[in-house]
Amino acid sequence: MSRNPYAADATDADDAVVRFDDVSMRYGRAPETLRDLTFSLPQGSFHFVTGPSGAGKTSLLKLIYLAAQPSKGLLHLFGQNVAQAPLDVRPFLRRRIGVVFQEFRLLDHMSAFDNAAVPLRIAGAKPDSYRQDVAELLTWVGLKDRMHALPPTLAGGEKQRLAIARAVVGRPDILLADEPTGNVDHEMGLRILRLFLELNRLGTTVLIATHDQDLVARSGKPILHLEDGRLVHMGPVPQGFGG
Amino acid sequence: MTDIATSAALKPPARPLGQWIFDVLLWGGIAIVLALSFGPAEIEKFPRLFSGSDNMREFGRAFINPDFDLLPFFISQMWLTIQMAMWGTALAVFIAVPLGLLGARNIAPPAIQWPVRRVMDILRSVPDLVIGMVFVVAVGLGPFAGVMALALNTGGVLGKLFSEAVESIDKGPVEGVRATGAHKLQEIAWGVVPQVAPLWTSYALYRFESNSRAATILGLIGAGGIGQILFDSLNSFNYSRVAAIALVIVVAVTLIDILSQAIRSRLI
């Protein structure tokens, strides 16, 4: 596997894997979607991003997985100012981040096993080196019997878990998930939450954008609450939240 | 009262005046251009098709009695023409893949996309007969000149079709691959190509169908194959032989069309 030059030596001095300093963001010439965000996520933390539709939750995740750039302010990932990161090192930064998209974004022509292995193959790993790991991971997310199925034949919850497997297979430092329970029933939502908590326990920094207040309440984890593109609260769930 | 209100509400909206004027100008303009072109295009000669010309009668008689004495030779020349079409299309695909990717708005920056599109425009706009003549001068008479003519012209056509296919892909899988840390080439190989491959293959097969016909015409400029035999027979007024060759061409092209359509219908 090709060595990721941004893998080992890049932990921030203050232990923050993500740091926003007065960050704003806009799409083209549209009004700002995110405004003046300042916060940091310590390594190994677990947060939810909450807020009404259009508050900027997905945009916030996009900034972190480098699908968008700040229009103002400084964004540091793993201690590195991403604005100064050359284009050819961005893929290496992305390899430290796992993303679970709301619409999954799986590759329909590949089996579940191959989809889960994509980040490893992209990083240059040989199939022999990861076959066992990927099979175990898919078993862990409950897809042991669906490894050879193509994504279009999977149920919503199965696709969701496959997307999670793909996001975590490279053992990312940060796991981002956008509405990961939006397409599944309550029971599956809880299973997915337990999965994220388990990954967090193993050291992964987790950030989940969600509308699911029950999920937030059950986890007992802190929130970043956005409204109209501004961060209006960061910390434990306030009394009467969502009521 | 209620009925009147209902019928008023159901009345379709009137066509805007601007739309009406546009339609009149468009169709009126087409009619005027056709009328002005009547003379230069010699449309007045249309009745001659039925006015009992001796040539037409002789031609028709010969077609009823095709001369199949040289059938194995015709078939071998038809096969040569199909081989020209296959190589012309295959080389065109090699040209069209990079052009199609670099000419797509969602893949290449405008500084690359614009000149690539102009190259495709030029390749498309020069007829394969003209390109063929240039290659006949460059590499001499024979099928290779025809192959190159087909490759360049079809390369431009397929490049345009390929880039339009790329522009209409679902960007979700590409973003999914990018988020895993893929470089640009990996994004294309993993996220773009699998989405467009069926459509690209279908376009290439369709162009192979038309190239099988075009390769016949290229015989006119000395590019070999069945076309050249056809024109030699025409020039020597051997209409029975022309009829036999034409039948061979019709059967071969029809078989290729059927085969290609069967494959394409499975692809998309």
Side-chain angles (χ1 to χ4, degrees), chain A residues 59-142:
Chain A
S59 299
L60 173 61
L61 298 189
K62 276 187 172 179
L63 282 175
I64 300 175
Y65 66 80
L66 305 175
Q69 291 193 48
S71 53
K72 192 190 85 171
L74 286 178
L75 166 59
H76 285 81
L77 283 180
F78 314 111
Q80 172 151 11
N81 179 358
V82 296
Q84 292 173 346
L87 283 179
D88 59 341
V89 307
R90 284 167 178 255
F92 291 105
L93 287 172
R94 290 192 187 107
R95 286 176 199 179
R96 299 184 66 186
I97 303 165
V99 188
V100 183
F101 293 97
Q102 190 173 3
E103 322 80 19
F104 317 125
R105 298 188 181 170
L106 300 166
L107 301 177
D108 287 349
H109 64 288
M110 286 183 175
S111 68
F113 180 92
D114 288 334
N115 262 283
V118 162
L120 303 175
R121 288 180 66 185
I122 290 287
K126 296 277 180 287
D128 285 344
S129 69
Y130 62 70
R131 199 165 283 138
Q132 187 68 26
D133 290 347
V134 173
E136 282 175 12
L137 177 62
L138 287 173
T139 305
W140 188 55
V141 297

Side-chain angles (χ1 to χ4, degrees), chain A residues 126-211:
Chain A
K126 296 277 180 287
D128 285 344
S129 69
Y130 62 70
R131 199 165 283 138
Q132 187 68 26
D133 290 347
V134 173
E136 282 175 12
L137 177 62
L138 287 173
T139 305
W140 188 55
V141 297
L143 292 175
K144 184 183 177 186
D145 300 326
R146 305 290 278 148
M147 283 190 203
H148 302 294
L150 294 175
T153 67
L154 297 176
E158 290 174 326
K159 285 182 189 173
Q160 189 71 271
R161 281 174 284 150
L162 176 56
I164 292 167
R166 182 178 68 176
V168 303
V169 74
R171 295 182 193 168
D173 295 304
I174 305 171
L175 175 65
L176 307 174
D178 194 358
E179 300 287 357
T181 57
N183 298 289
V184 295
D185 60 29
H186 182 70
E187 184 57 34
M188 183 58 67
L190 291 180
R191 279 180 67 182
I192 288 171
L193 174 63
R194 281 197 288 273
L195 212 117
F196 287 146
L197 290 168
E198 179 66 13
L199 288 165
N200 179 241
R201 199 181 60 76
L202 295 171
T204 306
T205 305
V206 178
L207 186 63
I208 300 172
T210 187
H211 273 110

Side-chain angles (χ1 to χ4, degrees), chain B residues 10-35:
Chain B
L10 289 175
K11 194 179 169 189
R15 284 182 83 202
L17 183 64
Q19 180 70 47
W20 190 83
I21 293 173
F22 174 81
D23 284 357
V24 169
L25 286 176
L26 177 71
W27 294 108
I30 290 173
I32 290 168
V33 171
L34 280 174

Side-chain angles (χ1 to χ4, degrees), chain B residues 176-209:
Chain B
V177 172
R178 184 181 303 143
T180 64
H183 290 290
K184 192 77 184 173
L185 276 177
Q186 289 172 318
E187 283 175 29
I188 292 170
W190 293 62
V192 178
V193 173
Q195 286 193 65
V196 295
L199 204 52
W200 280 9
T201 313
S202 173
Y203 286 148
L205 281 168
Y206 178 70
R207 286 303 303 187
F208 170 61
E209 285 175 40

